[in-house]
């Protein structure tokens, strides 16, 4: 047992995390009651796979295909929704463990196992799948794997995996600015690699095409999603909890503000000639770009911080003094889940102040890290002189 303690810990954590999720198997969230379960019933009533000829609400074609397959199984629909997401909780935890092992300086197996445990036992990952029946672990798993491939200069694999993430959820777009930053800084991929993303999305929609869907259906679904929510904030603690709720007036301002923030960050990186060669720089810039989108874009939901929480958690394993950032964001995510899970209101303005302060401090910390790296690169080498 001592020789196989890493394997034993993974098994124990998987059992404990699985039981924690199963404890919420009967919980029906507002989303499940009003959206997921009625969508399942509609697809089932329309003939399962035959229902792929028409769009049922706003999930993309491939996820609707998976739901259609589930209609042929003799289990309660709520359990199947949760079961699919719980499987990907394991995939995500394993992907994060692999990322920590590959990107860590010492390739520590204990660190990888602890990363697996941390992700699988996070309150947000447990609540998201086991209670809420949401699927955020699915697209996040593919993004984590894509980032590992990107760091090791395997752009083809990275963009294919990112395309799969997009095929599941539009929220994959939060990592897209970082892929652009990588392209401009590393020059290890072609601009044509970005065409892989829509190609993979279209390939994932083949079951829909066979049922008669239009060619551009996967993209139309996401375009329609952007017009679904007409409010500046949807329970995510960002700047719009403090500075306005008039969607018609502030929507475009928010988008341009986000582009400006990302642009200034890119200018700073280009000025320092940063190459994202260390794992710490690579993941810190990735987390910053995601966090920037969440802080300034409109209509951000409480679950949209899922990817950010995971990336900051990985950063903590690469550099331990980063622990304060995932501690803040994961706590904030857990608190905002209460709004939807048990209809308990919280002080969003106060939470937004804390999260904004954490975001700006993280930006400062990242700038210091990059400047120190630049100083080390420019410092003259000292060559010892014999005699």
């Amino acid at each position: 047992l001592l020789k196989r303690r890493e394997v034993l810990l993974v098994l124990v954590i998987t059992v404990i995390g699985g039981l924690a999720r199963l404890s919420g198997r009967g919980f029906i969230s507002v989303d499940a009651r009003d959206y997921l379960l009625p969508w399942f019933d509609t697809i089932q009533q329309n003939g399962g796979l035959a229902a792929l000829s028409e769009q049922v609400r706003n999930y993309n074609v491939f996820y609707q295909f998976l739901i259609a397959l589930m209609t042929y199984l003799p289990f309660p629909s709520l359990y199947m929704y949760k079961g699919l997401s719980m499987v990907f909780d394991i995939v995500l935890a394993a992907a994060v463990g692999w990322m920590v092992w590959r990107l860590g300086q010492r390739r520590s197996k204990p660190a990888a196992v602890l990363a697996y445990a941390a992700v699988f036992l996070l309150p947000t990952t447990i609540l998201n799948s086991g209670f809420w029946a949401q699927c955020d672990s699915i697209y996040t798993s593919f993004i984590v794997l894509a980032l590992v491939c990107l760091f090791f200069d395997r752009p083809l694999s990275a963009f294919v995996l990112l395309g799969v993430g997009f095929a599941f959820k539009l929220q994959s777009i939060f990592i897209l600015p970082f892929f652009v930053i990588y392209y401009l800084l590393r020059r290890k991929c072609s601009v044509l690699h970005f065409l892989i993303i829509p190609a993979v999305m279209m390939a994932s929609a083949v079951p829909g095409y066979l049922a008669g869907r239009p060619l551009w259906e996967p993209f139309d679904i996401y375009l329609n999603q952007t017009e679904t929510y007409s409010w500046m904030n949807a329970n995510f603690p960002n700047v719009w909890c403090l500075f306005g709720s008039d969607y018609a007036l502030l929507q475009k301002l928010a988008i341009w503000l986000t582009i400006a923030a990302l642009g200034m960050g890119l200018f700073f990186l280009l000025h320092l000639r940063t190459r994202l060669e260390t794992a710490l720089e690579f993941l810190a810039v990735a987390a910053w770009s995601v966090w920037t989108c969440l802080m300034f874009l409109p209509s951000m939901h409480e679950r949209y911080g899922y990817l950010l929480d995971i990336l900051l958690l990985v950063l903590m394993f690469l550099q331990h003094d980063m622990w304060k950032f995932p501690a803040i964001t994961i706590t904030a995510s857990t608190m905002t889940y209460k709004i939807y899970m048990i209809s308990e209101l919280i002080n969003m303005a106060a939470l937004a102040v804390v999260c904004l302060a954490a975001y700006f401090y993280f930006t400062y910390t990242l700038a210091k890290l990059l400047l120190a790296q630049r100083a080390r690169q420019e410092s003259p080498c000292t060559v010892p002189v014999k005699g």
Side-chain angles (χ1 to χ4, degrees):
L1 291 178
L2 289 175
K3 288 181 179 179
R4 297 288 184 271
R5 57 186 177 274
E6 290 91 357
V7 176
L8 179 63
L9 180 58
V10 167
L11 292 175
V12 170
I13 291 300
T14 303
V15 171
I16 293 173
L19 292 174
R21 287 161 172 80
L22 288 175
S23 68
R25 62 188 179 276
F27 179 81
I28 302 177
S29 66
V30 176
D31 272 347
R33 183 194 66 204
D34 294 345
Y35 303 107
L36 299 177
L37 299 180
W39 296 352
F40 185 97
D41 293 339
T42 299
I43 293 171
Q44 189 173 49
Q45 292 165 8
N46 291 343
L49 291 175
L52 291 176
S53 60
E54 296 180 359
Q55 178 61 23
V56 178
R57 296 307 295 260
N58 61 5
Y59 273 145
N60 215 324
V61 179
F62 189 65
Y63 195 68
Q64 186 174 331
F65 170 66
L66 295 180
I67 297 173
L69 292 179
M70 290 193 297
T71 62
Y72 296 97
L73 299 177
F75 305 108
S77 55
L78 181 66
Y79 292 0
M80 289 190 285
Y81 272 118
K82 293 182 177 183
L84 177 62
S85 295
M86 288 161 62
V87 168
F88 273 94
D89 284 353
I90 297 175
V91 174
L92 174 61
V96 168
W98 184 58
M99 174 182 270
V100 169
W101 183 73
R102 289 298 307 270
L103 271 59
Q105 293 182 346
R106 300 178 182 177
R107 290 201 172 184
S108 168
K109 285 185 179 179
V113 171
L114 289 174
Y116 174 94
V119 170
F120 200 62
L121 295 180
L122 277 182
T124 47
T125 58
I126 293 173
L127 292 172
N128 189 281
S129 60
F131 288 75
W132 205 336
Q134 287 291 347
C135 60
D136 294 277
S137 62
I138 301 179
Y139 79 89
T140 304
S141 299
F142 290 106
I143 290 176
V144 169
L145 295 172
L147 288 172
V148 175
C149 292
L150 199 65
F151 180 76
F152 290 104
D153 297 325
R154 296 168 55 192
L156 179 60
S157 300
F159 278 90
V160 168
L161 288 165
L162 181 58
V164 177
F166 265 98
F168 277 100
K169 289 296 284 286
L170 178 59
Q171 283 72 52
S172 298
I173 201 170
F174 296 142
I175 199 64
L176 189 59
F178 175 70
F179 274 68
V180 175
I181 291 171
Y182 170 90
Y183 163 71
L184 294 172
L185 296 181
R186 288 280 285 266
R187 299 289 179 149
K188 295 287 186 177
C189 66
S190 165
V191 69
L192 297 177
H193 278 98
F194 287 88
L195 298 178
I196 294 174
I197 298 173
V200 171
M201 290 179 63
M202 295 176 72
S204 72
V206 166
Y209 296 149
L210 295 176
R213 294 283 194 98
L215 188 63
W216 297 105
E217 183 79 345
F219 312 104
D220 289 337
I221 293 170
Y222 284 161
L223 287 175
N224 292 332
Q225 280 187 29
T226 62
E227 301 174 358
T228 302
Y229 306 103
S230 298
W231 51 79
M232 288 302 296
N233 183 273
N235 300 326
F236 186 86
N238 66 7
V239 66
W240 304 114
C241 291
L242 303 173
F243 298 112
S245 58
D246 190 330
Y247 184 80
L249 177 66
L250 298 173
Q251 177 205 16
K252 291 183 180 179
L253 170 64
I255 294 171
W256 286 115
L257 187 61
T258 307
I259 293 172
L262 291 169
M264 287 188 290
L266 176 60
F267 176 82
F268 181 73
L269 293 169
L270 290 171
H271 175 70
L272 294 182
R273 296 194 292 275
T274 303
R275 299 286 295 172
L276 303 179
E277 292 177 344
T278 69
L280 187 61
E281 291 176 343
F282 180 88
L283 279 178
V285 174
W288 177 83
S289 65
V290 172
W291 208 345
T292 300
C293 292
L294 294 171
M295 281 292 107
F296 299 110
L297 282 175
S299 302
M300 294 295 99
H301 289 242
E302 59 285 306
R303 292 180 291 103
Y304 291 1
Y306 196 100
L307 173 61
L308 174 66
D309 294 344
I310 297 300
L311 293 180
L312 291 176
L313 192 68
V314 175
L315 272 178
M316 181 189 72
F317 279 94
L318 298 185
Q319 184 164 306
H320 299 329
D321 62 3
M322 292 280 190
W323 67 269
K324 49 191 169 291
F325 300 113
I328 291 172
T329 62
I330 291 169
T331 301
S333 295
T334 306
M335 291 177 66
T336 56
Y337 271 37
K338 291 165 54 179
I339 300 172
Y340 230 95
M341 298 290 294
I342 58 176
S343 300
E344 181 176 325
L345 297 179
I346 62 175
N347 190 331
M348 289 297 296
L351 190 59
V353 169
V354 173
C355 290
L356 278 168
Y359 164 74
F360 286 118
Y361 184 57
F362 182 79
T363 303
Y364 168 75
T365 303
L366 175 58
K368 275 183 58 178
L369 172 70
L370 296 173
L371 286 168
Q373 182 68 18
R374 171 71 181 273
R376 284 192 294 269
Q377 291 173 350
E378 292 183 345
S379 61
C381 296
T382 302
V383 181
V385 179
K386 294 183 179 180

